[in-house]
Amino acid sequence: MMSEEHEDDFVMAFQDSCDKPALLLIHGFPLSSSMWTPQLDDLGDYARIIAPDLRGFGNSDSVPGPYTITQLADDCADLLGYLNVATPFVVCGLSMGGYIALEFYRRYPEHVAGLILAATRAGADSPEGKAGRDKAAELAKNEGATAVSGGMLPKMMAAKTYENDPELVEFVQEIISTASLNGVVGALAAMRDRIDSTPTLGDIDVPVLIIHGADDTLIPPTEAEAMHKAIPDSELVLIPEAGHLPNLEQPDVFNDAVIDFLEELFGEEE
Ligand code: MLT
């Protein structure tokens, strides 16, 4: 509850969810802020949630690439500045969003109260990985963005999710179908050229929550374990029966972990 001295000489009290600490949610490739629907639905009592569509994705403009991870981190910083978000806040990124979150921390450590690294890794692309990005970009240019994004769909979630939750699979398909060609090609270049964040890990001096699906085949859980070992103040939550999208596949477990983390950082909601 906040209050202000009103011009008619009385103190007017008001509630504004924007007084909560902010939580920046950065989506993965080739998704959009819609991937954070269960978090936008259920975490609003705990944080002011800001979930941008990165350039080229969702409802943001389809800006021609190539993009860089630095540029994508700066886009997020600009948005939070524009919204006048109180600092420090929590930055959460999933997969490519995690690459951006680590860059955000390197560039704006004073703005970051804590980091949530979901379904992501610290390392850069291997030479084969870089060649794979170029191949995927060629495919997208020749056959359209969905040739790449559609190809990823069967690998994004746990086998159980495909069996048990066709609605979720359809929802993810809808989200990835909104990725523009510029977005897909631009972000593939950004991921290909990203730097190795491993040397950053030991220097992170805010609490870090690492969340990973136990059945993630795109980025194996060993990557999360390695980050956990290297980051001094970190906690690892491995979520069973979740693949690369644990926030959608097991939203309650994911949200509980985030709520605990926010409460540890900022104190419990009254
Ligand atoms: C993502 O989910 O953001 C991407 O799969 C990450 C990557 O390709 O490195």
Side-chain angles (χ1 to χ4, degrees):
M1 182 73 70
M2 294 188 284
S3 61
E4 63 134 2
E5 197 75 55
H6 196 269
E7 58 181 13
D8 275 352
D9 200 22
F10 73 102
V11 173
M12 178 180 255
F14 60 98
Q15 300 195 50
D16 176 353
S17 77
C18 294
D19 68 346
K20 295 183 173 59
L23 172 63
L24 170 65
L25 299 176
I26 311 175
H27 65 78
F29 174 90
L31 296 141
S32 78
S33 61
S34 298
M35 67 156 279
W36 299 115
T37 299
Q39 287 64 52
L40 288 157
D41 285 350
D42 292 340
L43 298 179
D45 283 346
Y46 302 89
R48 175 182 183 185
I49 301 175
I50 320 276
D53 287 341
L54 297 169
R55 54 173 71 203
F57 294 93
N59 290 314
S60 285
D61 284 351
S62 163
V63 188
Y67 308 160
T68 66
I69 294 294
T70 302
Q71 191 179 42
L72 298 173
D74 283 354
D75 287 345
C76 294
D78 288 350
L79 174 67
L80 270 71
Y82 170 79
L83 293 172
N84 221 354
V85 167
T87 58
F89 44 80
V90 173
V91 180
C92 167
L94 182 134
S95 199
M96 176 177 75
Y99 311 155
I100 299 168
L102 285 164
E103 176 70 351
F104 193 103
Y105 179 74
R106 271 191 295 270
R107 292 176 71 69
Y108 309 104
E110 70 285 2
H111 289 348
V112 181
L115 281 170
I116 303 175
L117 301 174
T120 195
R121 58 155 52 100
D125 276 2
S126 62
E128 301 74 49
K130 286 181 199 286
R133 304 286 190 199
D134 290 338
K135 223 168 128 190
E138 274 313 300
L139 179 68
K141 283 183 209 157
N142 293 331
E143 294 179 29
T146 46
V148 171
S149 52
M152 285 179 72
L153 184 64
K155 299 179 223 148
M156 289 180 113
M157 288 168 278
K160 278 233 163 110
T161 308
Y162 292 101
E163 266 163 49
N164 299 341
D165 202 345
E167 271 176 33
L168 176 58
V169 179
E170 203 176 307
F171 179 62
V172 173
Q173 166 138 43
E174 269 168 36
I175 300 174
I176 63 184
S177 72
T178 65
S180 71
L181 178 59
N182 280 336
V184 166
V185 174
L188 282 166
M191 292 192 285
R192 177 196 62 201
D193 297 338
R194 76 186 189 279
I195 64 164
D196 181 5
S197 289
T198 313
T200 303
L201 301 180
D203 294 334
I204 298 178
D205 70 355
V206 292
V208 179
L209 171 63
I210 299 164
I211 309 183
H212 216 93
D215 301 334
D216 190 337
T217 53
L218 288 179
I219 299 186
T222 47
E223 297 282 354
E225 282 155 13
M227 290 194 296
H228 178 42
K229 273 206 191 118
I231 301 174
D233 185 1
S234 64
E235 183 196 345
L236 170 61
V237 175
L238 204 56
I239 304 188
E241 298 186 9
H244 194 54
L245 302 177
N247 68 302
L248 285 166
E249 299 177 74
Q250 299 294 342
D252 293 343
V253 185
F254 186 97
N255 288 351
D256 284 350
V258 173
I259 290 166
D260 287 350
F261 184 68
L262 293 173
E263 286 182 344
E264 288 255 318
L265 271 179
F266 300 114
E268 290 199 20
E269 260 301 288
E270 291 183 8

